[in-house]
Amino acid sequence: SLANFAVGGQNWIWADVHGDIALFSKVFLPQRPAGVVPYLPVDGSGSAEWLADEQGRPIWVPDEKIPQATNPVEGYLA
């Protein structure tokens, strides 16, 4: 149900009557070239720009690389 969510980054947490718990973060994060740390200053040469496809659209980090958990062994989400 979160596949089409596209309004800012959100953390979604749920629980059910069977004791199942889960956390899913949903956000569109642009991919950058390998080795770029986006929260540190870059040199301004353009080498740290978002990666794009053939049509110039941003390439997003895949959902499976964004933190998520379902029924963690610790028994809680934090």
Side-chain angles (χ1 to χ4, degrees), residues 21-76:
I21 58 174
L23 167 105
F24 297 93
S25 297
K26 181 62 177 166
V27 63
F28 286 109
L29 293 174
Q31 287 192 33
R32 295 187 185 259
V36 172
V37 182
Y39 52 83
L40 295 177
V42 295
D43 62 17
S45 67
S47 63
E49 298 300 317
W50 296 357
L51 299 179
D53 64 14
E54 300 80 30
Q55 287 80 33
R57 296 178 301 227
I59 298 173
W60 307 111
V61 173
D63 287 341
E64 59 270 9
K65 298 235 179 195
I66 296 176
Q68 55 184 294
T70 302
N71 294 325
V73 296
E74 299 85 4
Y76 63 89

Side-chain angles (χ1 to χ4, degrees), residues 8-26:
Q10 297 284 325
N11 292 319
W12 299 84
I13 299 175
W14 63 263
D16 67 19
V17 297
H18 305 291
D20 297 310
I21 58 174
L23 167 105
F24 297 93
S25 297
K26 181 62 177 166

